[in-house]
Amino acid sequence: MLRGGKPVERARMSDIALERIREAIVTGELAPGSKIKDSELAEYLGLSRTPVREALARLVDTGLVEAKPGAYTRITTLDRGDVEATLAVIEALDQLAVVTAVPNLTDEMIGAMRSANKDFAAAVKRNDIGRALTADDRLHSVIIDAAANPLLKKLIHQVHPQIHRIYYRKFSSLLGSQDSVDHHNKLIALCADHDAEAAATLSAEHRRHLGGLIGELFDADEFALSD
């Protein structure tokens, strides 16, 4: 039998801690390889240790944090093999989302995608990383929502932060160009034409293109621990 509201409140605090720690990892405020203590994070976030510990455990499951009991808890390093594996998963999930979503897209949804890309282009021009990634997420969220697959949505949201922290650290090399704006325009056009297969193929090609650029950055040692 359910009792009271305290468990709900605790879960909410855990969600808040999760979101704020995840954002700090993506933006690099918590750098790859850096060791963390739940007591210090709790003090910094103004929360108790319990929701912070719960959030860290959830972040271990997503691969953003790694822990060795009795030894350390640290931010996962940017390992090339792990990044390539994550990119392969995202490519497959994106294709499934696009193929499933396109038949469900309405004119209003297409308009929302165009609006998001307009904001993305403006943010790219200003080199505003945070707003650019937010706009990019808005655009792709339209597709994810239209796919109407809760498990697919959960999986995509789980793996995206691992790639976002690379985008954030090397934005100008990866997303900070007209190429990404043009890709969005082509994707939107195919979605508006309800050409699901072509849209999915384009999405996969773009993911592979970004993967190639990320590979070049690893070759150039651009993701060194001290970066």
Side-chain angles (χ1 to χ4, degrees):
M1 182 176 179
L2 295 177
R3 298 179 182 177
K6 290 185 178 180
V8 175
E9 179 68 15
R10 184 164 59 246
R12 191 178 74 85
M13 289 296 102
S14 176
D15 290 342
I16 291 172
L18 175 72
E19 182 63 29
R20 293 180 66 181
I21 296 170
R22 182 169 55 200
E23 181 181 1
I25 294 171
V26 168
T27 61
E29 184 178 354
L30 291 174
S34 61
K35 293 183 178 181
I36 51 179
K37 296 181 179 180
D38 56 18
S39 58
E40 293 176 355
L41 273 178
E43 182 177 359
Y44 175 73
L45 296 174
L47 299 171
S48 66
R49 293 177 67 178
T50 298
V52 170
R53 284 197 296 265
E54 291 172 351
L56 289 174
R58 291 162 68 185
L59 288 167
V60 168
D61 291 337
T62 68
L64 290 177
V65 171
E66 54 187 3
K68 184 177 181 180
Y72 61 78
T73 300
R74 68 187 181 192
I75 307 305
T76 305
T77 56
L78 291 169
D79 177 82
R80 181 171 189 163
D82 290 343
V83 169
E84 290 176 345
T86 301
L87 283 169
V89 171
I90 288 180
E91 180 183 325
L93 293 176
D94 275 355
Q95 282 189 283
L96 177 58
V98 172
V99 166
T100 308
V102 168
N104 302 328
L105 290 172
T106 64
D107 290 344
E108 183 179 0
M109 292 175 180
I110 296 297
M113 292 173 69
R114 290 194 176 107
S115 177
N117 195 36
K118 182 179 179 180
D119 291 343
F120 177 82
V124 166
K125 189 174 182 179
R126 297 192 303 269
N127 199 35
D128 188 332
I129 304 172
R131 290 184 181 276
L133 290 181
T134 296
D136 186 64
D137 282 347
R138 276 173 48 212
L139 189 155
H140 290 285
S141 288
V142 174
I143 293 174
I144 295 168
D145 289 341
N149 185 326
L151 179 57
L152 176 62
K153 183 175 182 177
K154 180 180 179 180
L155 291 173
I156 289 175
H157 285 175
Q158 181 174 324
V159 297
H160 262 180
Q162 299 183 46
I163 301 303
H164 272 195
R165 65 176 179 154
I166 291 179
Y167 291 168
Y168 201 99
R169 289 160 70 83
K170 295 298 175 184
F171 176 77
S172 61
S173 301
L174 296 170
L175 296 179
S177 70
Q178 185 63 34
D179 286 349
S180 290
V181 178
D182 291 342
H183 160 70
H184 287 160
N185 283 328
K186 292 175 183 177
L187 178 64
I188 293 168
L190 290 171
C191 287
D193 288 340
H194 295 288
D195 192 338
E197 293 297 332
T201 297
L202 178 67
S203 180
E205 289 174 350
H206 187 62
R207 286 293 183 186
R208 286 194 290 271
H209 172 67
L210 291 176
L213 294 178
I214 291 171
E216 291 176 6
L217 292 173
F218 272 108
D219 289 338
D221 201 25
E222 290 285 333
F223 292 121
L225 210 64
S226 59
D227 185 17

